[in-house]
Amino acid sequence: MRWILLLLPLPLALAQGDWRLSKRQSETLGELGSWSYTLSPRTEEARVLWQALVLQYREHLKGGYRVDLGRWRLYFRGGALLLDRGCPEVHPACLTPGALPAPKERQDRFLLEMAGLLDRALGELEKIGGRLTLSGLFRADLKPKAPPPHRAYPSGWKP
C-alpha cells in the first residue's frame, strides 16, 4: 500500500512539464475539417528559455545551418524551409543546443520534452494530415501519408 501512495503523485508531476501540445479540429457547416496542432511553452520559465533559444535557432537557419529537433531537423534548401527526419530516436545528441542562462541538464530536459511532443504530433499528422505550429519557429502543413521532407514556413519571423 505504501508503494501505491508514493507512485500516485508521479503522473501529476509529469503532466506539469514545460511544453503544451494543443490539438483542435476545424468544423465547417457541421462537417469536421483538418487538424491543427500547436506546440508551445507552458510556463513562464519555459517561455523565457524558448524565446532565448528560438532567436538563436532563427539565426542558425538564416546562416544556412540546420536546427536539430530530436528525430526531426529544420533547414533551408533552395530558399524553402524544410522539416525532415533527423535522428532515429529522440536523444540529447540529436538536439541543437543554445547558449541559455540555464544549466545544460535543464536545457536537455527542456529540449527532450519538446522533441518528444514534436515527434508525437508529427507522427499523428503524417497519418491524417493537418497543420503543426512550433511556437515562434515554424508551421508545416502535412498531407496524409506524404513522406518527408515536409515544407515548412517561418512562424513569427522572416528569413
Side-chain angles (χ1 to χ4, degrees), residues 18-127:
D18 290 317
W19 291 91
R20 169 181 328 156
L21 179 60
S22 309
K23 301 190 250 186
R24 67 180 175 81
Q25 189 173 24
S26 63
E27 185 176 24
T28 341
L29 300 173
E31 292 185 23
L32 293 177
S34 63
W35 282 96
S36 178
Y37 288 40
T38 303
L39 184 56
S40 58
R42 179 190 304 254
T43 66
E44 183 58 33
E45 178 197 8
R47 279 189 286 280
V48 169
L49 286 174
W50 182 241
Q51 284 301 324
L53 194 57
V54 81
L55 292 174
Q56 294 172 44
Y57 282 175
R58 291 172 183 174
E59 291 304 314
H60 271 60
L61 292 166
K62 288 177 186 178
Y65 299 100
R66 72 174 190 238
V67 173
D68 291 318
L69 303 168
R71 288 184 46 149
W72 295 90
R73 64 178 41 138
L74 193 62
Y75 57 91
F76 278 104
R77 182 185 302 148
L81 186 60
L82 299 174
L83 182 64
D84 203 353
R85 295 247 186 242
C87 289
E89 63 184 45
V90 175
H91 187 274
C94 300
L95 299 166
T96 299
L100 297 179
K104 175 149 178 28
E105 300 80 28
R106 172 69 178 109
Q107 189 177 161
D108 284 349
R109 281 193 319 272
F110 179 76
L111 289 173
L112 283 170
E113 182 184 346
M114 183 271 301
L117 289 172
L118 178 67
D119 188 49
R120 183 175 123 202
L122 285 166
E124 291 175 19
L125 287 172
E126 282 189 318
K127 295 174 190 165

